[in-house]
Amino acid sequence: MIKTRQQNVTSAMWSTNGEALGTSDLTDASNNPFGSDVFSTSVQRERLPKDVFEKLQVTLAGGEALDPSLADAVAVAMKEWALERGATHYTHVFQPLTGLTAEKHDSFFEPDREGQWIAGFSGKELIQGEPDASSFPTGGVRDTFEARGYTAWDPTSPAFIIENPNGALLCIPTAFVSWTGEALDAKIPLLRSMDALSKTAVRALRLLGDNESQGVFTTVGPEQEYFLIDEQYFYARPDLVTTGRTLFGAKPPKGHELDDHYFGAIPERVLACIMDFENDLARLGVPIKTRHNEVAPGQYELAPIFENSNVGSDHQQLTMQIMQKVARKYGLVCLLHEKPFAGVNGSGKHNNWSMGTDTGHNLLDPGETPAENVSFMFFCAAVIQAVNLHQGLLRASVANIGQDHRLGGNEAPPAIISIFLGAELEKALEAIASGEGDGKTESQTMELGASVLPPLPKHGGDRNRTSPFAFTGNKFEFRALGSSMSLAFPNTVLNTIVAESIDDLADGLEKKIEGGMDIAEAVQEVVGATYNANKQVCFNGDNYDDAWHKEAESRGLKNLKTTPDALPEVIADSTVSAFQKYEVLSKRELESRFEVWVEQYTIRANIEAETADSIARTMLLPAALRYLAILDGAEISELTAQTKDLVEGMVSALDELEAANEYPDGVEGLDLAIHARDRQLAAMAKVREVADELEGVVADDLWPLPKYSEMLFIR
Ligand code: ADP
Ligand code: MG
């Protein structure tokens, strides 16, 4: 049997080499795995001296800096707990600007004077690490001669254990800073943005008559899409291994057109794998709630219950890591790339975002009482203004090379950022903005919550799957994230721009109240004016429709189609001013991110282009030539001519690609990214076009790459 067929047969005959989880009696609490690998608040309560525990909680609640004497006590308890679980090493996990998670392991153990191997772990080691880590991109923030980078413990995100068949590792979530104090990671700006939003929202809440809330935190609930394919195909495809996506592959006769995969029964091997990684995630305290088949064959989705943005973001990184790790136990590979298969739906990540007070009130929930409604309308208006003013930045926050295959491709929102409010909320805002309510009785009716406000959407109202930014009942759903992306930056952006708008609206509100207007009337005026000034960003219709693209243009909305188009928004004046005002990122820190992300785009494009060249030249072309030789022997000139044309087409496309892969002299930065997009990726597309045609012609047993119909359908 030929090799690929052989692979199909073995793939289909999978058997779990992971150990079966079995079924346990879940009415017995001791069988509940949730949080068992986490140094959680309850473990801390159990293990820390009472006064230490209490002081730690107060410090955390107040968001204050940690007293070093506490750190020693915490370190001892954490070490003991970790050693009991078999941990030999600890690591400060952080998120450098690559968007991935980084770790460097240190042993707990050191020899003492008598040559004994003793475990130790001090408060100092817990609080601060010095991984050096001079090879991470910094975008000019750090020169190598001053290459020192520090990790700093983030006590608000709990430590956890990662197991390996041969030992365990204590993971401590940390921030990563340069010795000059500049953020080199994704966590610091996220934490800063959460602070900024909390301060401004509490200020607004005071004006709105809430005197109890002391803090507001933002929440995130991501819905993660992913593919699982058999690992034999993965390793037979250098493009998947090197770039995460297939650079070649003809569309299979069957795709998702029959809709027979979406929400279908999850195949047994896949379900076994999902259950296994969900179990690991449960032990790590990640509250996964939902699982289902997605639209594309071989595609699935999972979603956790929402958490505060910082913890949710750390958990999301962990989720991606655990999914990829566990998949291998089942002979599967988990693909997180935004577009692993051309012509087949790609994968995204919906970012559900909201804000809640420390008293348990969701500020984007219309609520039961008129007072809650007034506050809801205020915060909604702030979000609308923020999204309108910073459309470009939001678009940039979800930009990466994988996304460029997806956004606007009728499977994901377009690159135009707009807000879906739903009919009810839009009606309410229109009524307020047009002053439709009777001016004289406004304050009274606001208090009664009757005539001024049409009924507010209580249960999310209608759905619009095509909108990039949709109100869904008690949260906004930012639907344009890519499946491989960290949540940190998009949420940093959301928090910062909404903080800015809340402040702006609060200024207006304050003036009116100081001028003697009552609160309800003042809110109504502020909300009405804000909505009128920003409603061009609101759109309830079909975002996939070409007509919308034209209309959006006439409304003056930005349409930043590719990553090189979008990234300059990261250093736009409006971005710098908002991020500086709230001390989330300085101009230099923003510039460093811009530089790193541009460079990543260019490098990834180049890796794709060189991989495509090598596969086409050393695998596909030889297969086509072998086939030509067979045809020559058969002496059927029509077949020979057809194949020969294609081969010649491939050769000239390859020449073009190789020319594009030579960087032009003196071109760098964004210009080089544009070269990568317009020359390298364009030339790759041409090579692919002929290659995919050849795939349909060359004898199957000669074709060296597994085909889409195999990778997507053999589960
Ligand atoms: P939908 O079907 O509208 O997408 P779900 O209720 O299934 O709605 O929620 C989807 C995601 O939204 C889940 O990950 C959930 O945790 C998250 N979510 C729900 N409420 C909030 C909130 N207040 N803040 C952030 N995320 C939320
Ligand atoms: Mg959703």
Side-chain angles (χ1 to χ4, degrees), residues 281-304:
L281 288 167
R283 288 169 45 189
L284 292 165
V286 183
I288 303 297
K289 174 89 172 158
T290 312
R291 58 168 100 108
H292 62 80
N293 284 3
E294 250 308 321
V295 169
Q299 190 187 32
Y300 311 89
E301 178 179 305
L302 105 180

Side-chain angles (χ1 to χ4, degrees), residues 459-534:
H459 300 290
D462 38 4
R463 282 282 190 255
N464 180 331
R465 292 277 154 215
T466 66
S467 172
F469 201 91
F471 178 68
T472 49
N474 58 5
K475 60 190 189 294
F476 280 93
E477 190 168 335
F478 187 17
R479 297 213 185 97
L481 276 71
S483 50
S484 73
M485 296 182 75
S486 157
L487 301 179
F489 191 63
N491 286 282
T492 302
V493 167
L494 275 172
N495 296 346
T496 308
I497 65 178
V498 173
E500 180 194 50
S501 280
I502 290 175
D503 243 354
D504 187 40
L505 266 61
D507 286 345
L509 193 60
E510 201 168 52
K511 268 203 207 101
K512 289 185 197 293
I513 294 172
E514 275 167 9
M517 200 180 280
D518 77 23
I519 298 181
E521 203 181 335
V523 171
Q524 181 152 347
E525 285 197 13
V526 167
V527 168
T530 306
Y531 179 67
N532 273 336
N534 294 285

